[in-house]
């Protein structure tokens, strides 16, 4: 009796395994979408959606990047994706999609439709990187760097900071983008990826968005300064001119903080403090670098840096956008909930900036 | 034969009648001018040397049957018997019967064919004592006594098995043991109705209460030092004659992951090794299930690189992932079992050939993904990290539950199965002791005796 029941139970269990349902789909029957590009379609109001598909390699030893790009135009993104399903034999799987690239033409019009779609799809992660593709999203997707082994891996690595730690790249996750679009007192930014031919891309600019479209594009130098202000320990180098010689120092540590000073209603200002611990990296003169010298290089560098940063801040302020979240900062520290943002709106255009940079060049580098 | 009761006045003739047909029965009359005695013994289980030196030679040296008979009766271990059943039992257990004028005396002449003390096989350790328990109870008790020189170490004997008459010794430290456990064990041993008892594991099966259980509740060990270590912790050891294994109870889950050389290693090394074992168990339990979950339900959990790698290696595999996993795991079980059963000389060949076939040919044929091979070998190897065989076998079986759960429900199934597994462990008791508690003795150092002192 007992064994009979056991056998029946076992059989039932085994039968369970054949009814695994539609959720069960082996990995070799899925095709992974690693990047999505969205451009405006030929007709007004339509999207041209491009998917970059990674095709797995059977033999690991002779791996060669294989990818496929699907393109479809439709007035809605979901519709375009559904249509594309019938262009491939496997199920499109978006769970490994790490990048959504918006064509520049989309970004200069309105990005909210796309970000709304990306946040609603449950299989598209909220930690994927958003970026603007120049000249178009499709062009960026087609870039295939020779160093790449897995399709779109170079984009993923560059954007996530796992690979290159370029001071010119700032990554924006979709949840961050969503937040800065719908939050008061902070405006979204997006990195710009430029396709240079078929084998190279360049990410060294960021676009400041007025909630839904590009308003200002920063130059690479400004992008670097922006990154210096928006994150700590940016690894980069800055110049210092001293007595006709050019010195470059490498920032080993950097930090920036600010204070919004509004004691005098008519004269509000933001005081930025930037602290950098640096190592001398380049010296155009043949002068002996002494401790005293290092101090003077630091001072010269700090002066140049604060000048550049002030110029950037004024440029941002003049554009009327708030990518660093000063308004949010102000609102968070004031109790007049009903009026604080209105007060901020009136204060912001009159905002002045004081930048205090401290550059401490600690070492002269290694010369033997 | 044994069914016949014979209480009083046993005679040689009756014994001869009972033992008719015994080809190895020796029946002799020893005679000197002043009288004669008869000598009866079963050749196959008696020691010829003892018989000739201690029974036959003294008779002819003394030349006086009456004095000789009283010498035999007074000899340590000898016994005068009037009951027929008892007489037969003694003869069958290796005694020689000396009869003179209607009185019978039984002389211990047992030849114990037991293998000597050998080295541990199933529980080898790198450093520390390497003697294993032998198959003779007397030798084993000697080994324990020598390692546990305390007057509170008590030994109680009982016999189990109507036919095998296996001698069973119960060992415990009177001052530390939990008497409830002891009472429960004795009760269970008394209520056993068996014909043959040959192995410690068998006894383990009979004294554990629930029938459908997956985890061993008592340790079956071949290491005398483990027995001693556990006796000192207040546990009870049960030893059987004719088997080289002892049972230690009650045992908790954690005990099965303790190797005897944990104590020998430096503290951090010991902890690390234990951690390694826990990790190994987790790997062997979950890896196949996670593989199924990742390949068939939730590929988003692993990195895209790995997802593509798995996808690529599975490109030629015709069957769904769980078929692949189960197929491969079963193959591996075959290999493990085969290398255990094969004669020692062929064993390595089988593993090499099997490994080659499974590893190379199966992937080359596109039947199994490359990743699967790595996975299966990790599972196989990590399973053997568990120092005690019983637990290692349990885990081997248990991982199939995880595989089935993963095949049906994906990652959710694995989690559900894990929760169920922990709940099951928590609900288990070994002789009244919670099975899943972390340490057998609580960390404050109070022993079980102190806890149960009020009882």
């Amino acid at each position: 009796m007992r064994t009979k029941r056991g056998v029946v139970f076992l059989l039932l269990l085994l039968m369970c395994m054949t009814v695994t349902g539609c959720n069960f789909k082996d990995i070799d029957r899925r095709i992974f979408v690693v990047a999505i590009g969205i451009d405006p379609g030929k007709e007004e109001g339509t999207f041209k959606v491009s998917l970059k598909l990674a095709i797995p390699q059977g033999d690991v030893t002779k791996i060669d990047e294989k990818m496929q790009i699907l393109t479809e135009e439709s007035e809605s993104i979901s519709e375009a994706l559904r249509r594309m399903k019938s262009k491939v034999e496997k199920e499109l799987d978006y769970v490994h999609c790490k990048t959504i690239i918006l064509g520049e033409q989309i970004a200069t019009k309105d990005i909210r439709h796309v970000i709304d779609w990306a946040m609603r799809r449950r299989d598209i992660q909220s930690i994927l990187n958003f970026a603007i593709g120049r000249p178009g999203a499709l062009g960026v997707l087609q870039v295939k760097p020779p160093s790449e082994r897995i399709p779109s891996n170079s984009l993923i690595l560059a954007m996530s900071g796992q690979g290159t730690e370029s001071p010119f790249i700032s990554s924006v996750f979709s949840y961050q983008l969503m937040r800065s679009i719908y939050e008061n007192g902070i405006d979204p930014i997006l990195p710009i990826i430029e396709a240079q031919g078929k084998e190279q891309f360049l990410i060294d600019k960021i676009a400041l968005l007025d909630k839904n479209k590009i308003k200002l594009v920063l130059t690479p130098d400004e992008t670097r300064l922006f990154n210096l202000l928006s994150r700590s320990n940016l690894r980069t180098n800055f110049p210092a001119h001293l007595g006709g010689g050019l010195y470059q120092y490498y920032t080993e540590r950097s930090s920036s903080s600010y204070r919004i000073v509004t004691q005098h209603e008519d004269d509000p200002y933001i005081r930025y403090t930037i602290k950098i611990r640096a190592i001398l990296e380049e010296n155009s003169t043949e002068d002996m670098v002494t401790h005293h010298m290092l101090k003077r290089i630091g001072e010269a560098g700090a002066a140049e840096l604060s000048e550049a940063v002030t110029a950037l801040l004024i440029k941002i302020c003049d554009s009327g956008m708030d990518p660093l979240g000063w308004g949010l900062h102000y609102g968070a520290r004031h109790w007049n909930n009903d009026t604080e943002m209105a007060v901020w709106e009136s204060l912001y255009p009159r905002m002045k900036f004081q930048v205090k940079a401290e550059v401490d060049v600690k070492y002269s580098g290694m010369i033997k | 034969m044994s069914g016949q009761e014979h209480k009083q006045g046993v005679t040689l003739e009756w014994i001869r009648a009972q033992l008719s047909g015994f080809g190895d029965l020796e029946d002799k009359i020893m005679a000197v001018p002043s009288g004669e005695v008869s000598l009866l013994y079963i050749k196959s289980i008696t020691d010829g040397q003892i018989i000739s030196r201690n029974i036959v030679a003294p008779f002819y040296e003394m030349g006086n049957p009456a004095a000789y008979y009283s010498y035999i009766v007074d000899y340590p271990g000898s016994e005068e018997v009037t009951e027929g059943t008892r007489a037969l039992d003694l003869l069958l257990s290796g005694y020689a019967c000396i009869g003179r004028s209607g009185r019978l005396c039984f002389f211990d002449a047992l030849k114990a064919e037991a293998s000597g003390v050998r080295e541990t096989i199933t529980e080898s350790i790198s450093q520390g004592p390497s003697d294993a328990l032998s198959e003779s109870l007397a030798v084993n008790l000697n080994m324990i006594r020598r390692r546990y020189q305390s007057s509170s170490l008590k030994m109680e004997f009982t016999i189990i098995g109507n036919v095998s008459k296996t001698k069973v010794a119960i060992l415990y430290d009177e001052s530390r043991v939990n008497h409830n456990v002891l009472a429960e064990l004795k009760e269970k041993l008394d209520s056993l109705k068996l014909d043959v008892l040959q192995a410690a594991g068998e006894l383990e099966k009979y004294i554990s209460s629930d029938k459908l259980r997956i985890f061993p509740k008592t340790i079956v060990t071949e290491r005398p030092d483990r027995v001693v270590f556990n006796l000192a912790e207040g546990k009870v050891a049960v030893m059987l004659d004719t088997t080289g294994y002892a049972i230690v109870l009650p045992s908790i889950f954690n005990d099965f992951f303790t190797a005897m050389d944990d104590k020998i290693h430096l503290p951090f090394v010991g902890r690390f090794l234990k951690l390694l074992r826990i990790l190994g168990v987790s790997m062997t339990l979950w890896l196949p299930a996670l593989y199924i979950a990742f390949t068939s339900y939730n590929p988003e959990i692993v990195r895209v690189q790995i997802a593509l790698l798995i996808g690529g290696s599975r490109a030629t595999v015709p069957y769904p992932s769980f078929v692949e996993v189960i197929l491969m795991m079963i193959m591996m079980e075959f290999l493990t079992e085969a290398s255990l059963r094969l004669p020692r000389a062929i064993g390595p060949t089988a593993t090499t050939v099997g490994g080659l076939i499974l590893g190379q040919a199966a992937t080359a044929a596109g039947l199994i993904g490359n990743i699967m091979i790595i996975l299966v070998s990790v599972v196989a190897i990590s399973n053997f990290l568990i120092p005690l065989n019983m637990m290692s076998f349990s885990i081997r079986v248990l991982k199939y539950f995880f595989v089935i759960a993963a095949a049906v429900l994906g990652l959710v199934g694995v989690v559900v199965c894990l929760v169920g597994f922990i709940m099951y462990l928590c609900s288990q008791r070994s002789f009244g002791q919670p099975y899943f508690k972390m340490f057998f003795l609580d960390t404050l150092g109070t022993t079980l005796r102190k806890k149960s002192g009020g009882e």
Side-chain angles (χ1 to χ4, degrees):
Chain A
M1 199 58 211
R2 176 167 224 114
T3 45
K4 221 179 204 173
R5 238 184 344 184
V7 167
V8 169
F9 179 69
L10 210 75
L11 274 178
L12 275 177
L13 258 181
L14 284 176
M15 273 146 85
C16 270
M17 294 174 65
T18 58
V19 290
T20 48
C22 49
N23 244 346
F24 185 95
K25 184 149 278 181
D26 275 322
I27 204 162
D28 48 317
R29 314 240 162 107
R30 304 177 193 228
I31 191 156
F32 291 104
V33 176
V34 285
I36 301 176
I38 296 167
D39 285 311
K42 282 197 196 89
E43 288 169 41
E44 184 63 30
T46 60
F47 292 107
K48 186 170 83 176
V49 181
S50 325
L51 300 184
K52 187 166 181 174
L53 308 177
I55 296 169
Q57 299 290 301
D59 198 346
V60 187
T61 49
K62 342 188 233 286
I63 201 156
D64 176 37
E65 182 192 343
K66 260 195 185 173
M67 57 133 166
Q68 188 179 355
I69 291 180
L70 299 179
T71 311
E72 181 73 46
E73 280 188 32
S74 170
E75 60 179 0
S76 86
I77 303 171
S78 335
E79 178 66 18
L81 295 184
R82 293 288 180 286
R83 290 243 182 101
M84 271 187 272
K85 273 195 177 193
S86 36
K87 290 190 177 175
V88 281
E89 82 286 10
K90 294 171 186 168
E91 178 71 8
L92 291 173
D93 196 319
Y94 298 93
V95 292
H96 277 301
C97 175
K98 291 284 162 59
T99 326
I100 292 185
I101 294 164
L102 302 160
E104 201 175 10
Q105 285 150 293
I106 291 261
T108 48
K109 273 187 205 138
D110 196 349
I111 62 164
R112 278 182 298 195
H113 185 147
V114 179
I115 178 84
D116 183 79
W117 165 81
M119 291 306 287
R120 275 180 214 282
R121 279 288 295 232
R122 72 179 173 90
D123 53 346
I124 292 183
Q125 302 187 23
S126 302
I127 52 160
L128 54 75
N129 289 110
F130 261 90
I132 293 170
R134 183 183 273 180
L138 183 58
V140 172
L141 289 192
Q142 278 163 344
V143 171
K144 186 182 163 189
S147 60
E148 198 175 65
R149 283 298 174 90
I150 294 164
S152 192
N153 198 26
S154 53
L155 263 188
I156 297 170
L157 285 181
M159 296 294 290
S160 65
Q162 286 169 2
T164 175
E165 290 178 15
S166 163
F168 299 102
I169 298 176
S170 50
S171 71
V172 176
F173 292 124
S174 63
Y175 74 89
Q176 284 174 330
L177 184 62
M178 183 75 176
R179 199 175 63 187
S180 47
I181 286 176
Y182 291 99
E183 179 70 274
N184 277 332
I186 186 164
D187 286 326
I189 59 164
L190 279 176
I192 295 179
I193 305 176
E194 287 170 85
Q196 298 186 327
K198 288 278 173 206
E199 291 203 333
Q200 199 178 322
F201 54 73
L202 176 68
I203 316 171
D204 66 348
K205 300 177 189 67
I206 55 177
L208 307 188
L209 284 85
D210 165 26
K211 292 296 184 197
N212 53 21
K213 61 180 181 295
I214 299 180
K215 238 185 149 188
L216 181 67
V217 176
L218 300 183
T219 63
D221 277 341
E222 286 168 342
T223 302
R224 173 164 57 182
L225 291 174
F226 185 88
N227 283 338
L228 178 71
L229 298 183
S230 61
R231 59 174 122 128
S232 57
N233 296 335
L234 185 77
R235 305 246 167 92
T236 181
N237 58 299
F238 285 112
H241 292 87
L242 186 67
L246 170 67
Y247 299 87
Q248 289 279 353
Y249 57 88
Y250 164 76
T251 56
E252 195 186 26
R253 288 225 172 137
S254 79
S255 69
S256 68
S257 60
Y258 64 90
R259 221 189 150 81
I260 303 171
V261 187
T262 52
Q263 271 106 341
H264 310 289
E265 271 294 308
D266 46 338
D267 187 24
Y269 64 93
I270 295 177
R271 189 169 58 218
Y272 255 97
T273 313
I274 300 166
K275 285 183 182 156
I276 290 175
R277 197 166 81 190
I279 301 172
L280 189 63
E281 206 170 60
E282 218 177 311
N283 176 9
S284 68
T285 66
E286 288 300 307
D287 293 349
M288 182 84 159
V289 177
T290 58
H291 183 72
H292 180 66
M293 187 81 164
L294 285 180
K295 227 173 168 182
R296 283 175 56 209
I297 294 171
E299 280 161 10
E304 275 178 54
L305 185 65
S306 62
E307 198 179 313
V309 170
T310 312
L312 171 68
L313 292 176
I314 288 170
K315 187 176 175 185
I316 292 173
C317 185
D318 285 349
S319 76
M321 281 175 300
D322 190 357
L324 286 162
W326 296 319
L328 194 62
H329 182 98
Y330 178 86
R333 282 163 176 74
H334 287 79
W335 289 103
N336 42 341
N337 287 343
D338 299 330
T339 55
E340 63 194 12
M341 287 326 282
V343 172
W344 171 253
E345 296 297 330
S346 71
L347 280 177
Y348 189 50
R350 289 180 282 135
M351 203 54 85
K352 302 269 185 306
F353 295 94
Q354 290 181 8
V355 178
K356 191 168 156 239
E358 289 170 23
V359 178
D360 181 11
V361 184
K362 270 253 188 278
Y363 318 106
S364 58
M366 199 89 95
I367 290 181
K368 281 185 183 160
Chain B
M1 202 162 48
S2 57
Q4 292 180 25
E5 288 295 309
H6 194 290
K7 288 285 177 211
Q8 281 297 318
V10 61
T11 59
L12 273 173
E13 282 66 39
W14 181 81
I15 292 176
R16 283 189 189 110
Q18 296 298 317
L19 299 183
S20 63
F22 270 52
D24 50 355
L25 187 73
E26 233 5 78
D27 190 0
K28 285 206 165 75
I29 308 275
M30 297 190 287
V32 287
S34 55
E36 58 175 46
V37 295
S38 34
L39 174 62
L40 193 74
Y41 59 92
I42 300 170
K43 254 196 296 188
S44 54
I45 54 166
T46 48
D47 191 336
Q49 283 213 338
I50 295 179
I51 303 244
S52 66
R53 195 183 306 145
N54 296 348
I55 301 178
V56 180
F59 177 75
Y60 290 104
E61 278 164 18
M62 293 165 93
N64 181 352
Y68 170 75
Y69 188 76
S70 60
Y71 156 78
I72 289 291
V73 171
D74 289 343
Y75 200 90
S78 294
E79 201 177 322
E80 249 196 311
V81 169
T82 50
E83 253 177 78
T85 22
R86 174 77 183 142
L88 275 181
D89 281 351
L90 286 176
L91 267 180
L92 287 171
S93 60
Y95 280 68
C97 171
I98 293 116
R100 182 179 172 272
S101 49
R103 291 170 70 194
L104 295 180
C105 181
F106 289 82
F107 189 97
D108 184 3
L110 174 70
K111 180 164 69 177
E113 284 289 358
S115 44
V117 177
R118 56 193 165 83
E119 288 208 351
T120 50
I121 300 169
T122 52
E123 287 171 70
S124 309
I125 59 174
S126 59
Q127 279 174 317
S130 61
D131 283 353
L133 291 172
S134 80
E135 302 210 331
S136 144
L137 185 60
V139 174
N140 290 349
L141 294 179
N142 169 286
M143 284 163 96
I144 301 297
R145 275 270 188 230
R146 214 171 69 217
R147 287 169 168 84
Y148 201 99
Q149 300 189 355
S150 159
S151 61
S152 56
L153 174 63
K154 304 292 176 199
M155 296 180 179
E156 289 178 25
F157 294 92
T158 171
I159 287 177
I160 296 179
N162 293 331
V163 178
S164 65
K165 302 261 190 244
T166 312
K167 261 191 236 155
V168 176
I170 305 172
L171 284 77
Y172 56 90
D173 187 323
E174 195 180 31
S175 61
R176 301 174 186 219
V177 75
N178 183 334
H179 289 279
N180 296 340
V181 172
L182 195 63
E184 193 182 335
L185 172 70
K186 282 183 190 163
E187 191 187 317
K188 275 186 178 154
L189 286 182
D190 285 343
S191 64
L192 278 184
K193 296 265 179 297
L194 293 174
D195 276 344
V196 177
L197 178 69
Q198 298 208 80
E202 215 180 329
L203 186 64
E204 194 272 339
K205 206 168 78 191
Y206 293 125
I207 59 178
S208 296
S209 42
D210 44 343
K211 290 278 172 285
L212 260 180
R213 65 200 202 292
I214 185 101
F215 293 111
K217 298 290 180 49
T218 59
I219 290 182
V220 175
T221 180
E222 61 162 355
R223 299 192 62 87
D225 54 341
R226 190 187 283 275
V227 174
V228 167
F229 172 72
N230 282 304
L231 283 174
E233 273 193 335
K235 296 183 189 173
V236 183
V238 180
M239 289 176 132
L240 266 66
D241 203 9
T242 71
T243 173
Y245 292 88
I247 305 175
V248 175
L249 57 100
S251 294
I252 59 168
F253 190 65
N254 194 22
D255 288 343
F256 290 92
F257 298 93
T258 312
M260 284 319 289
D261 48 357
D262 284 356
K263 293 240 169 297
I264 294 161
H265 288 300
L266 299 174
F268 279 107
V269 180
R271 298 264 159 78
F272 171 72
L273 290 179
K274 189 140 190 178
L275 206 72
L276 220 58
R277 267 174 235 140
I278 303 283
L279 198 72
V281 171
S282 322
M283 295 271 256
T284 192
L285 269 183
W286 300 332
L287 266 188
L290 287 180
Y291 177 80
I292 295 176
F294 289 159
T295 49
S296 301
Y297 286 95
N298 312 86
E300 65 267 26
I301 301 220
V302 290
R303 295 201 152 194
V304 61
Q305 289 90 333
I306 297 175
L308 289 177
L309 208 65
I310 297 176
S313 82
R314 269 192 57 82
T316 52
V317 181
Y319 292 109
S321 60
F322 64 87
V323 175
E324 184 191 15
V325 168
I326 289 180
L327 194 80
M328 209 52 205
M329 268 163 50
I330 298 268
M331 290 246 234
M332 189 194 73
E333 304 287 1
F334 287 167
L335 207 63
T336 321
E337 277 303 294
S339 50
L340 179 71
R341 307 278 169 223
L342 273 172
R344 209 155 284 183
I346 330 176
T349 328
T351 31
T352 322
V353 170
L356 270 177
I357 290 170
L358 290 191
Q360 282 299 313
T363 39
L367 217 59
I368 305 284
N370 275 320
I371 309 281
M372 192 64 221
I373 299 291
I374 302 172
L375 199 122
V376 160
S377 27
V378 170
V379 168
I381 298 286
S382 55
N383 195 53
F384 295 116
L385 286 182
I386 306 166
L388 284 158
N389 247 337
M390 290 280 274
M391 184 53 95
S392 162
F393 279 99
S394 297
I395 298 290
R396 241 169 92 183
V397 175
L398 207 67
K399 63 174 180 266
Y400 290 93
F401 288 95
F402 280 84
V403 164
I404 292 171
V408 177
L409 285 172
L411 204 59
V412 179
V414 180
V415 173
V416 166
C417 211
L418 178 63
V419 170
F421 167 71
I422 289 173
M423 276 162 64
Y424 176 76
L425 273 176
C426 290
S427 75
Q428 294 297 296
R429 295 286 179 276
S430 171
F431 285 85
Q433 301 295 313
Y435 189 57
F436 201 39
K437 67 177 171 183
M438 208 55 226
F439 302 103
F440 187 73
L441 301 178
D442 64 32
T443 40
L444 294 171
T446 43
T447 60
L448 274 174
R449 179 175 60 90
K450 282 180 190 157
K451 270 200 278 181
S452 60
E455 294 167 11

